Amino acid sequence: MRYVLALDQGTTSSRAIVFDERGRACGAAQKEFRQHFPKPGWVEHDAEEIFRSQLACARAALRKAKLAPSRLAAVGITNQRETVVVWDRRTGKPAHRAIVWQDRRTAERCEALKKEGLAGTIRAKTGLVIDPYFSATKLEWLLANVPGLKERAEKGDVLFGTIDSWLAWKLTAGKLHLTDPSNASRTQLYDIHRGEWDDELLKIFGVPRAMLPEVLPSSHIYGSVAKTMLGAEVPLAGIAGDQQAALFGQACHEAGMAKNTYGTGCFLLLNTGSEAITSKSGLVTTCAAQTNTFALEGSVFIGGAVVQWLRDGLRLIKKSVDVEKLAASVRDSDGVYFVPAFAGLGAPHWDPYARGTIVGLTRGSNAGHIARAALESIAFQSAELLHAMEQDSGVKSKELRVDGGAAADNLLMQFQSDLLGIPVVRPKVLETTALGAAYLAGLATGVWASREEIAKQWKVAKRFEPKMKREEAGRRMGEWKRALERARGWGKG
């Protein structure tokens, strides 16, 4: 039996899972790390803490699997995307805390770029809209605000990377500075059509080329994880951004197949094959974790994170899994709508000034109604994405494959099916993000021979069929849109 270790570095926690050649999880570990909020709308991570937590999880997963590291065929990395790390080439010390994808500090800069008429140029090259979500303005902010950083970057003394690059550099003891197209395509510095860093984009954002990682295929033997990390040298052979990894792990290998991941945010991706479709409905075009393959993507910034807020902010629940029971304590939300725009609104609205809003409260409203409205907000936002995707592609979806932590919530999945009017399909392996990273690494090292072999391992655990009348679903979506309007632009004052 051959084994692959997947490192799944997320926004709120690091995970590691050992998979065997049948795609079964043999050992797993997870560790949350601290979120830093220095100012309203700012979100940061300690890059060193991320690495320590990820390495600890890797070692713990191997222990739980009772597997010697020498028996690993490969290691794969999947990661939160767009988050920016800059570190010293010689010492490995980060120049600043990592600026997280949710961070909104560059909203004014993005507005200025739009006024300069650069939206068309950036969209044509990158497939992305101008928004603080993406890496370029975050990196630009660091270069302008960390004393001496720009000069050091121009000399090649500091390196830039998304989280995958940071982990690869650390795991290989500074030997590898690289990324893959799925992550590079989220930086707003990469031409997705030519497959390379773009000089015009680098000039717009003032980014020195010397600090950029090399871009290599998502499934590729890059080098080896240092022996000091896991106890044996193991090929590092797969890298993909978390959502593209999940698309691969869900075996959505053919054009027209879609998946939705319910994690900290929600991310709906449609495989569009070799065609990079330009969205007219507020979605973005991105590189998939397959050679010369693209996807349409819709990003919801606050998905499962709204449940964490109920737990940590309001203290309505003790554990995230308790939310389903609390939400099920009431028949419905009783007219309460929750727009969790804590970090603005992503696709299809792209409003960095939107803020979290709860409307429809009465004296009869209780914790159950708020919990239910919070869960329903995840489904409402995802439904908007699928509707936009159908408009762009001209194809009506037949089913939606789902994964991620919140996909285990039956109440949420049933409501999602009700809103969409199509089956929602949950696979036996919910950790498809990690599984996708494992598959990519295993393909490069011969654990799996082909994508067809991988697709045969995908199995259905539960299928949710729509029960709600279409008129009622339409009414609920209409009410949701009314609530959205209350949240739009609030941060502008």
Side-chain angles (χ1 to χ4, degrees), residues 174-230:
K175 289 184 178 178
L176 296 179
H177 182 218
L178 56 92
T179 188
D180 85 302
S182 72
N183 279 294
S185 69
R186 312 301 295 188
T187 62
Q188 220 154 45
L189 301 171
Y190 183 79
D191 187 321
I192 63 173
H193 308 288
R194 291 189 294 120
E196 60 186 33
W197 300 116
D198 184 83
D199 286 329
E200 184 179 8
L201 295 172
L202 296 179
K203 185 177 180 181
I204 289 171
F205 294 104
V207 175
R209 182 177 278 273
M211 68 188 310
L212 298 175
E214 182 182 7
V215 184
L216 293 171
S218 305
S219 182
H220 183 84
I221 300 176
Y222 312 109
S224 295
V225 174
K227 186 176 181 180
T228 53
M229 298 296 161
L230 299 177

Side-chain angles (χ1 to χ4, degrees), residues 337-340 345 349 357 373 376-382 384 474-486:
Y337 287 82
F338 189 158
V339 183
L345 289 169
H349 308 287
T357 308
E376 290 181 351
S377 76
I378 301 172
F380 281 125
Q381 292 177 98
S382 297
E384 285 190 297
R475 185 191 71 79
R476 294 298 306 275
M477 285 300 301
E479 292 287 283
W480 164 256
K481 289 174 182 176
R482 285 181 61 210
L484 270 179
E485 290 308 310
R486 306 303 195 272

Side-chain angles (χ1 to χ4, degrees), residues 443-456:
L443 270 177
T445 52
V447 176
W448 293 284
S450 65
R451 290 182 301 167
E452 290 73 23
E453 182 182 349
I454 287 169
K456 289 178 182 177

Side-chain angles (χ1 to χ4, degrees), residues 307-359:
V307 177
Q308 290 179 316
W309 184 74
L310 294 180
R311 182 192 69 188
D312 302 334
L314 293 189
R315 301 191 184 279
L316 292 184
I317 51 177
K318 288 186 177 180
K319 301 190 296 290
S320 294
V321 292
D322 297 337
V323 70
E324 184 175 9
K325 183 178 179 181
L326 180 57
S329 69
V330 293
R331 187 179 62 183
D332 53 39
S333 67
D334 197 28
V336 176
Y337 287 82
F338 189 158
V339 183
F342 303 144
L345 289 169
H349 308 287
W350 300 108
D351 182 354
Y353 299 104
R355 291 295 178 265
T357 308
I358 302 176
V359 298

Side-chain angles (χ1 to χ4, degrees), residues 279-299:
S279 173
K280 298 177 181 178
S281 307
L283 305 177
V284 301
T285 310
T286 197
C287 293
Q290 302 179 52
T291 306
N292 300 319
T293 305
F294 299 92
L296 272 175
E297 176 176 333
S299 308

